[in-house]
Each structure stands twice: as structure tokens, then as C-alpha cells.
């Protein structure tokens, strides 16, 4: 596994960091985040609808690279970035996060019980998908969110391997809490990690209950065990993220002591705490006299924290402007829309020439990755329904007193059946359900969102869909044990092999551990890489001919 992780990481670093300084122009939402970085580095207060952690990481990256927050105004998309601005350092943190996301997805898939070959599919799906690529190459916070979403899933799955309340279990559960804190402190959509972790915790507690009740344990002991575990989970999965969320705002306020563009969003008492603002003690007294405010008292940290979050919520709810590149939630799974991020304002080198007039950067996915991932949830639903009906067809439990079947056998199988049906014993089935619900939790809330949304809002759901793709791959491609059982029934002699057109060496190769899966996975990954190579110009943005551009616009709605 180590060699796979090394290879995935190297390729991810190369694809994320190559041409990172290109284009030396403002691309899409860098127009916003560049201003936020300026605010942190100059101390001028700004307002944004998202929590501050992701922006703080971007500002820290720029500061490390010597950026002072004054050299670039980030006034409009397409504005040139001066040579003295270390653009590489500003884009480096997202690129690093995007690089680490790939091996993290592989590790998470393995923790979820997906085979080594099957785990390559979600990992390479992220590696060779162009949406994940472009979100990792710009001054944006999405890569922070993606890493946190997967880290929470990894930590939760890893904790299942250890006895609850042990040190190993506690550390992994704390890591899940840390990931939740990062996600929620970056974007409110990261609250999906709270729901996913809560679902996992409920199932884990139920598994503890069913396990304890499989033995003659007194109810007091069972309830005590459940209560202790529930309290620790609440502390690590709720208190830790909440502390991180509040702390990020403390740093936010500390770095923004002076008035700035965001001051107008805040109440007069808040503005009076900002140096240089026109609202001062004298103005506050006048406002009290006029009855517009109740007192001249300056707000505490908690008052400022509550006011800012209320204003973020209000501003989010009032975003009604439509966007030419906006899309609907039902269009995302099949990638029916894209988003144009950048085109040069003028057709001039190095961005365009007379022979190569088309230079574009799109937020667009790899069709193969997205369309395969779109099928995976439906496949898993079919598998779960099949398992459910198979269980429902089994004899009832407990057996009747007049049942003449072997009572000893029934007494041992009954609790196991009940346990498995409720998620207590079938780790694989449990993982499928949680991944499917994670997919829906990240996607379906956008049904109720009235503000404009874009294709990249689906990417957290796509992470779960790719995990489900790995699960479906393992179910579709037989393991060594399944092949051996099949061979015992169907292939009893070399003559039969010859008649079937299967040579003995190839047959032995197929039966070798995992070779069938590895061969199938290699073919899918090779196809992913070919799609990546073909569509990559739409993300890296080199000049191309009109014919080359049109050849990559498979759907009219992409243009």
C-alpha cells in the first residue's frame, strides 16, 4: 500500500503544482478571496458570508510568501497580477491540500473496507477529475473543505476498529472532531460533517447495545457503557468543533482592528470598536439621543461573534441574484453544466495568439469520473434492497415453542441475524448505508437553497459517490474466494479450460490474490487518465484552436 500512496501523492503534486503561476490574472472567486487576504494582512475589516478559517489559511500562505496585502487590489476577474506578487505562495496552500486529498481518499476507502484495487477508483477519481483539480489550483477555500470532509470520514471509520473509550479510539474520534471543526469553520456547508458523524455515532452506539445484549449483561452496565460513550462522543464531536469555530472568529477579529469595506454591514456599536471608523463615542451618544440605539456600550467578543454570525446568515438568505453560469441541483450528478472561470480580456500572448485564439479555464469535471460516480449510488441502493429482501425471506426469530428445528443452532444464529439487520455485525452493509446517506446529506439540502449555486457545490457529494463506486466495484468484480468457489463448480479440468478458451497460465493468474480486480481497476484508471489528458486544457488554460476547444465541449450546456 505504501508504494500506491507514494505514487498517488507524487502524481497529485505534479498535477496540482504544475503551471501554478498561470495565468497571472485574477481567476473567478480569487476576485473575492484576494480582497479577504488583503484585509487580514492590512488589518482592514471586511465582511464575508463564510466563516474565517479557510481565509485565514490563505492569508497565512500569502504572508509566508512575502505578500503584504497592498500590492494587488483584486478589483476584477482578469486583472493582471504584478510580477512582485508571489502568486505561487498564494495558490500553494490549496494546491497542497488538493495533493494530500488524493492519498487521504485512498486511505479512507481502505478503512471503509474497500479492497486495495477498489480503493484506487475513488482516489484516482479525485486525482484525475478536473473539478477537484481546478478548485485546488486557485486562491479558494474549497480544498480545505474537501480535506476536512474526507478526514472526518477516515477518522470515524478508523475508530470502529478499536474498543470504545480506549486511547486509540479516543484519538481517532478526536481527529474526527477536529475535521468537523475545520469543515464548519471554513464553510457552513461543512455542517454536513456533523450530520455524517452523528449518524455514525448513533449506529456505533446501537452496535454497542446489540453487542452487550448478546451476552447476559445487566441493564445497568449496558446503560452505563452507552452513557459514557455518548458523553465522550458529544465532547469530541460537538465541543471540539464548536471551540474551533469560536476560536477562528477570535483570530478573525484580532487581525481586523481597523475599519474597512465590511464596516457598513455591522451595527454602530460594533463599528465603534474599529479604529478609524467614522462611528465613534460622540456619534454613539447622538444615536442614543435620537433613539436609534439603546446605549453607547461597546460590544464584547461574544456580542461581536453573535452579531457577525447573524449578519452572515442574513446576507446568505438575501442572495437572490442569478448567474449566467449558475445551475440547478438536479443537473449536477450528470454534470450538465460547467462554470467558466477565466478567459483573457485581450487576445494577446501568452494567453492567446492569432493561430491559437482560445484560452479558457472552466470548472468542469471529467465525464468518465462523473458519469461512473452517478451510477454508483443507484447500484448500492439495489444491493441494499437485495440484502434486505434476502434477510426478510429468512425464518422468523425467535422460533416458536413447537418448532422442531435445532434449537441450539437457532439460539446462536438469532441474535446475530437481529444484530446484522440493525447494523450491529455487518460492517460492510453498514458502510454502504452511511456512504449513501453521506452522499444524500451533502446534496439534497440544496433543494431548499434559493441562492444561486454552481457545479462545484456538488463536489462533497461526489466524494461520497466515488467511495460508493469503490464499493460497487468490489461487489461487481469477484474476489479470490469467489473465484475459487466458482472454479470448484464450473472448471473441473484443463479440458474444460481449453474448451472455454482459457489457458492454464491465465487461469492461475486470475485466481492469484486480487489479480482480477487489479486488472479491472488498472483498465478503469487508464481510461480516467486518458480523459484527464484530453480535457486538461480546459483547466490549465493554454491557448488552443477553435476546433480543439469545440472538440471538448461535448454538451452545449457546457459552453
Amino acid at each position: 500500500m505504501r508504494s500506491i500512496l507514494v505514487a498517488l501523492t507524487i502524481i497529485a503534486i505534479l498535477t496540482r503544482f504544475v503551471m501554478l503561476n498561470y495565468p497571472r490574472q485574477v481567476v473567478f472567486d480569487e476576485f473575492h478571496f484576494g480582497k479577504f487576504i488583503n484585509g487580514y494582512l492590512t488589518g482592514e475589516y471586511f465582511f464575508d458570508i463564510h466563516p474565517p478559517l479557510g481565509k485565514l489559511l490563505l492569508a497565512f500562505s500569502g504572508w509566508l510568501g512575502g505578500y503584504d496585502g497592498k500590492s494587488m487590489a483584486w478589483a476584477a476577474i482578469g486583472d493582471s497580477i504584478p510580477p512582485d506578487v508571489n502568486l505561487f505562495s498564494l495558490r500553494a496552500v490549496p494546491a497542497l491540500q488538493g495533493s494530500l486529498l488524493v492519498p487521504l481518499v485512498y486511505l479512507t476507502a481502505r478503512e471503509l473496507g474497500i479492497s486495495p484495487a477498489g480503493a484506487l477508483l475513488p482516489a484516482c477519481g479525485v486525482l484525475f477529475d478536473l473539478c477537484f483539480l481546478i478548485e485546488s489550483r486557485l486562491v479558494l477555500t474549497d480544498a480545505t473543505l474537501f480535506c476536512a470532509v474526507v478526514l472526518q470520514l477516515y477518522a470515524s471509520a478508523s475508530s470502529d476498529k478499536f474498543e470504545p473509550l480506549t486511547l486509540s479510539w479516543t484519538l481517532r474520534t478526536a481527529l474526527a472532531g477536529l475535521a468537523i471543526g475545520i469543515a464548519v469553520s471554513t464553510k457552513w456547508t461543512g455542517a454536513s460533517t456533523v450530520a455524517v458523524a452523528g449518524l455514525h455515532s448513533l449506529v456505533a452506539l446501537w452496535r454497542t447495545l446489540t453487542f452487550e445484549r448478546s451476552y447476559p449483561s445487566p441493564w445497568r452496565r449496558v446503560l452505563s457503557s452507552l452513557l459514557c460513550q455518548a458523553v465522550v462522543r458529544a465532547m469530541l464531536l460537538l465541543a471540539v468543533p464548536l471551540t474551533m469555530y469560536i476560536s477562528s472568529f477570535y483570530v478573525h477579529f484580532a487581525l481586523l482592528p481597523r475599519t474597512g469595506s465590511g464596516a457598513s454591514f455591522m451595527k454602530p456599536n460594533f463599528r465603534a470598536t474599529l479604529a478609524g471608523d467614522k462611528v465613534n463615542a460622540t456619534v454613539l451618544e447622538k444615536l442614543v439621543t435620537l433613539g436609534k440605539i439603546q446605549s453607547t456600550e461597546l460590544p464584547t467578543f461574544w456580542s461581536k461573534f453573535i452579531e457577525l454570525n447573524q449578519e452572515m446568515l442574513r446576507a446568505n438568505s438575501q442572495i437572490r441574484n442569478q448567474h449566467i453560469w449558475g445551475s440547478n441541483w438536479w443537473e449536477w450528478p450528470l454534470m450538465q453544466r460547467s462554470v467558466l472561470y477565466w478567459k483573457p480580456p485581450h487576445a494577446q500572448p501568452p494567453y492567446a495568439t492569432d493561430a491559437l485564439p482560445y484560452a479558457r479555464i472552466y470548472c468542469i469535471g471529467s465525464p468518465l469520473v462523473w458519469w461512473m460516480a452517478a451510477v454508483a449510488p443507484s447500484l448500492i441502493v439495489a444491493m441494499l434492497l437485495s440484502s434486505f429482501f434476502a434477510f426478510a425471506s429468512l425464518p422468523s426469530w425467535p422460533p416458536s415453542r413447537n418448532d422442531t428445528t435445532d434449537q441450539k443452532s437457532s439460539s446462536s444464529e438469532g441474535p446475530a441475524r437481529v444484530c446484522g439487520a440493525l447494523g450491529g455485525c455487518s460492517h460492510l452493509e453498514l458502510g454502504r448505508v452511511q456512504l449513501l446517506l453521506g452522499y444524500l446529506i451533502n446534496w439534497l439540502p440544496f433543494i431548499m437553497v434559493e441562492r444561486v449555486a454552481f457545479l462545484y457545490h456538488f463536489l462533497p457529494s461526489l466524494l461520497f459517490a466515488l467511495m460508493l463506486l469503490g464499493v460497487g466495484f468490489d461487489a461487481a468484480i469477484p474476489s479470490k474466494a469467489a473465484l475459487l468457489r466458482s472454479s470448484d463448480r464450473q472448471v473441473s479440468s484443463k479440458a474444460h479450460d481449453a474448451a472455454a478458451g482459457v489457458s492454464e497460465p491465465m487461469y492461475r493468474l486470475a485466481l492469484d490474490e486480487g489479480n482480477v480486480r487489479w486488472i479491472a481497476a488498472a483498465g478503469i484508471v487508464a481510461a480516467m487518465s486518458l480523459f484527464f489528458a484530453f480535457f486538461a486544457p480546459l483547466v490549465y488554460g493554454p491557448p488552443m484552436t477553435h476546433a480543439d476547444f469545440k472538440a471538448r465541449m461535448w454538451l452545449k450546456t457546457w459552453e
Side-chain angles (χ1 to χ4, degrees):
M1 183 172 73
R2 182 176 299 177
S3 59
I4 294 176
L5 288 174
V6 171
L8 289 172
T9 304
I10 291 174
I11 298 173
I13 290 173
L14 291 174
T15 54
R16 271 64 183 167
F17 278 90
V18 67
M19 297 174 60
L20 195 60
N21 278 327
Y22 179 92
R24 286 198 68 88
Q25 291 186 356
V26 178
V27 179
F28 197 59
D29 275 355
E30 288 185 330
F31 159 72
H32 295 296
F33 288 97
K35 292 185 178 73
F36 302 152
I37 294 173
N38 286 355
Y40 282 131
L41 297 181
T42 62
E44 296 178 359
Y45 189 84
F46 65 85
F47 174 79
D48 181 37
I49 60 174
H50 299 299
L53 182 59
K55 300 185 287 289
L56 287 169
L57 293 175
L58 294 177
F60 180 69
S61 177
W63 176 77
L64 286 178
Y67 182 61
D68 59 5
K70 302 176 182 178
S71 307
M72 176 71 189
W74 308 88
I77 297 173
D79 280 2
S80 295
I81 297 175
D84 61 330
V85 173
N86 190 343
L87 182 58
F88 184 90
S89 73
L90 290 168
R91 292 175 175 170
V93 163
L96 179 61
Q97 292 169 333
S99 301
L100 296 178
L101 178 64
V102 175
L104 180 58
V105 167
Y106 183 84
L107 289 172
T108 303
R110 294 292 293 124
E111 289 293 335
L112 289 167
I114 302 174
S115 69
L120 273 179
L121 269 61
C124 289
V126 173
L127 174 62
F128 293 125
D129 179 63
L130 303 171
C131 270
F132 284 113
L133 175 65
I134 190 57
E135 295 301 305
S136 302
R137 289 177 51 82
L138 302 174
V139 186
L140 305 172
T141 60
D142 297 270
T144 306
L145 176 63
F146 302 152
C147 285
V149 168
V150 179
L151 182 61
Q152 179 270 315
L153 193 60
Y154 167 81
S156 295
S158 179
S159 69
D160 287 337
K161 295 184 176 180
F162 299 93
E163 184 74 18
L165 304 180
T166 61
L167 178 61
S168 297
W169 177 90
T170 302
L171 290 175
R172 284 160 177 79
T173 305
L175 181 61
L178 178 68
I180 294 171
I182 294 173
V184 177
S185 301
T186 299
K187 287 190 174 183
W188 277 350
T189 53
S192 63
T193 56
V194 179
V196 172
L199 172 67
H200 174 268
S201 295
L202 290 175
V203 173
L205 291 171
W206 183 257
R207 292 176 67 184
T208 299
L209 175 61
T210 54
F211 178 79
E212 292 284 355
R213 296 308 300 161
S214 298
Y215 298 91
S217 302
W219 272 107
R220 181 174 297 179
R221 174 185 169 185
V222 173
L223 294 178
S224 176
S225 175
L226 288 175
L227 180 60
C228 289
Q229 189 181 151
V231 169
V232 174
R233 284 184 180 275
M235 290 177 59
L236 297 178
L237 299 178
L238 294 176
V240 169
L242 181 60
T243 301
M244 288 186 62
Y245 185 80
I246 295 171
S247 298
S248 68
F249 281 90
Y250 185 87
V251 177
H252 176 79
F253 292 140
L255 293 178
L256 301 174
R258 300 194 298 150
T259 191
S261 60
S264 59
F265 289 86
M266 314 313 296
K267 295 178 180 178
N269 299 69
F270 189 114
R271 296 182 60 174
T273 66
L274 301 174
D277 196 273
K278 63 181 182 180
V279 178
N280 51 31
T282 302
V283 174
L284 289 179
E285 291 176 356
K286 292 181 179 179
L287 292 174
V288 170
T289 303
L290 295 173
K292 293 185 177 181
I293 61 174
Q294 295 180 350
S295 72
T296 61
E297 183 179 359
L298 298 181
T300 64
F301 164 76
W302 292 109
S303 299
K304 294 170 67 176
F305 170 78
I306 293 172
E307 180 180 337
L308 178 54
N309 277 267
Q310 289 175 336
E311 182 61 23
M312 290 162 56
L313 182 62
R314 185 200 63 80
N316 259 300
S317 64
Q318 291 189 355
I319 297 177
R320 293 289 185 270
N321 295 337
Q322 296 301 309
H323 195 284
I324 188 174
W325 293 99
S327 53
N328 297 304
W329 63 272
W330 64 82
E331 297 177 294
W332 298 339
L334 295 178
M335 199 182 66
Q336 295 175 267
R337 291 281 288 160
S338 66
V339 187
L340 177 61
Y341 271 13
W342 170 86
K343 66 178 181 179
H346 308 287
Q348 58 187 18
Y351 305 121
T353 65
D354 292 337
L356 301 171
Y358 272 77
R360 301 286 190 275
I361 290 180
Y362 278 84
C363 176
I364 188 171
S366 167
L368 179 63
V369 171
W370 281 64
W371 294 343
M372 287 181 66
V375 174
S378 299
L379 176 62
I380 299 304
V381 169
M383 292 167 58
L384 291 171
L385 288 175
S386 175
S387 298
F388 172 78
F389 287 118
F391 174 82
S393 65
L394 292 175
S396 62
W397 175 264
S400 64
R401 295 181 179 272
N402 297 326
D403 197 340
T404 58
T405 57
D406 185 4
Q407 295 294 323
K408 182 177 180 180
S409 173
S410 296
S411 64
S412 63
E413 293 176 359
R417 283 184 47 218
V418 175
C419 187
L422 297 175
C425 296
S426 179
H427 181 74
L428 181 60
E429 296 290 339
L430 179 61
R432 291 171 179 173
V433 172
Q434 291 185 92
L435 286 174
L436 181 62
L437 291 177
Y439 170 77
L440 297 175
I441 288 170
N442 280 277
W443 177 36
L444 294 185
F446 282 96
I447 296 175
M448 300 176 290
V449 174
E450 297 182 4
R451 57 162 291 188
V452 64
F454 299 93
L455 180 67
Y456 56 77
H457 285 117
F458 184 70
L459 289 177
S461 287
L462 183 61
L463 289 169
F464 284 86
L466 288 171
M467 294 290 183
L468 290 171
L469 179 63
V471 173
F473 173 85
D474 280 355
I477 306 297
S479 63
K480 176 184 178 182
L483 284 172
L484 288 173
R485 288 194 298 270
S486 177
S487 68
D488 290 340
R489 293 191 302 266
Q490 301 178 13
V491 185
S492 58
S493 66
K494 295 181 181 180
H496 191 286
D497 291 341
V502 180
S503 64
E504 183 178 0
M506 181 58 71
Y507 174 67
R508 289 177 177 174
L509 176 67
L511 283 184
D512 196 14
E513 180 65 49
N515 273 331
V516 171
R517 283 178 173 169
W518 282 113
I519 292 170
I524 295 174
V525 170
M528 287 180 176
S529 66
L530 291 176
F531 271 74
F532 173 84
F534 180 74
F535 286 96
L538 295 178
V539 169
Y540 289 108
M544 57 182 135
T545 65
H546 180 265
D548 289 337
F549 173 75
K550 283 293 187 181
R552 289 160 175 81
M553 292 288 107
W554 285 9
L555 299 180
K556 291 183 179 180
T557 52
W558 288 357
E559 297 186 48

